[in-house]
């Protein structure tokens, strides 16, 4: 299945398009780099895009990239993939690894097109997962709301 995807940042300064043969957002990465750079869920979700189809349709001159060091304590520093983001609103857009130049890895959160729902998910790098976000530690009795719950963060902590 080949899908043509459109994506953008939150503020609208950057927009892009990419084709994907693997558009199902099923893999959640809990490594410390993904956890710290991509948002509050404790993980990130990327999909696979064809690098030669990536086209920035708005804001190409504003995009910035960040390359994290894989292990800051190591004697020889190894950089990991580049993570491209909007410098205005800080939305992560896609990543690209030198080892696989034929692919880009759009952040599922940046895709505006409808993505297929995964039948199941895979969690990786759990050795780096924050305890509060580790799926092995979460219970199945989670509450779910279409919008905000009827209580505040403070009320929840007080046992609302």
């Amino acid at each position: 299945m080949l899908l043509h995807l459109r994506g953008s940042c939150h503020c609208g300064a950057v927009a892009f398009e990419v084709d994907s043969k693997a558009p199902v957002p099923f893999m959640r990465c809990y490594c410390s780099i993904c956890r710290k750079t991509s948002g509050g869920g404790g993980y990130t979700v990327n999909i696979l895009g064809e690098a030669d189809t990536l086209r920035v349709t708005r804001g190409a001159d504003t995009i910035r990239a960040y390359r994290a060091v894989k292990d800051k304590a190591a004697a020889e520093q190894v950089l990991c993939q580049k993570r491209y983001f909007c410098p205005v609103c800080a939305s992560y857009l896609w990543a690209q690894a030198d080892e696989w130049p034929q692919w880009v890895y759009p952040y599922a959160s940046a895709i505006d097109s409808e993505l297929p729902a995964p039948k199941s998910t895979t969690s990786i790098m759990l050795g780096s997962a924050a305890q509060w976000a580790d799926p092995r530690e979460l219970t199945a009795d989670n509450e779910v709301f279409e919008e905000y719950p009827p209580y505040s963060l403070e009320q929840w902590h007080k046992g609302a």
Side-chain angles (χ1 to χ4, degrees):
M1 141 180 32
L2 180 68
L3 281 182
H4 182 73
L5 303 173
R6 287 180 167 72
S8 64
C9 65
H10 182 262
C11 73
V14 178
F16 64 95
E17 299 177 355
V18 67
D19 291 339
S20 176
K21 294 177 187 166
V24 180
F26 77 96
M27 189 176 295
R28 298 174 178 187
C29 182
Y30 287 82
C31 80
S32 63
I33 298 168
C34 285
R35 176 170 38 90
K36 294 237 179 199
T37 62
S38 66
Y43 61 87
T44 194
V45 178
N46 293 93
I47 57 177
L48 185 65
E50 306 293 317
D52 61 351
T53 68
L54 178 66
R55 188 169 73 89
V56 178
T57 58
R58 185 173 53 247
D61 57 334
T62 65
I63 297 172
R64 298 292 178 263
Y66 172 70
R67 278 189 99 150
V69 174
K70 285 187 180 179
D71 181 359
K72 293 177 186 175
E76 185 177 323
Q77 299 294 304
V78 177
L79 298 176
C80 57
Q81 62 192 8
K82 280 187 179 178
R83 290 165 167 81
Y84 292 87
F85 64 96
C86 171
V88 178
C89 65
S91 297
Y92 271 70
L93 305 165
W94 68 85
Q96 189 162 27
D98 293 340
E99 300 91 333
W100 300 287
Q102 69 272 32
W103 296 314
V104 291
Y105 305 94
Y107 288 82
S109 57
I111 299 299
D112 300 319
S113 305
E114 193 68 33
L115 292 172
K119 290 181 175 69
S120 63
T121 61
T122 299
S123 297
I124 64 170
M125 304 299 288
L126 291 175
S128 300
Q131 187 260 341
W132 58 265
D134 190 330
R136 298 170 296 187
E137 303 296 327
L138 300 177
T139 62
D141 60 345
N142 297 312
E143 293 183 282
V144 179
F145 298 94
E146 290 293 321
E147 294 186 15
Y148 290 106
Y151 48 79
S152 69
L153 289 172
E154 180 182 18
Q155 289 170 324
W156 183 90
H157 282 87
K158 290 181 177 177

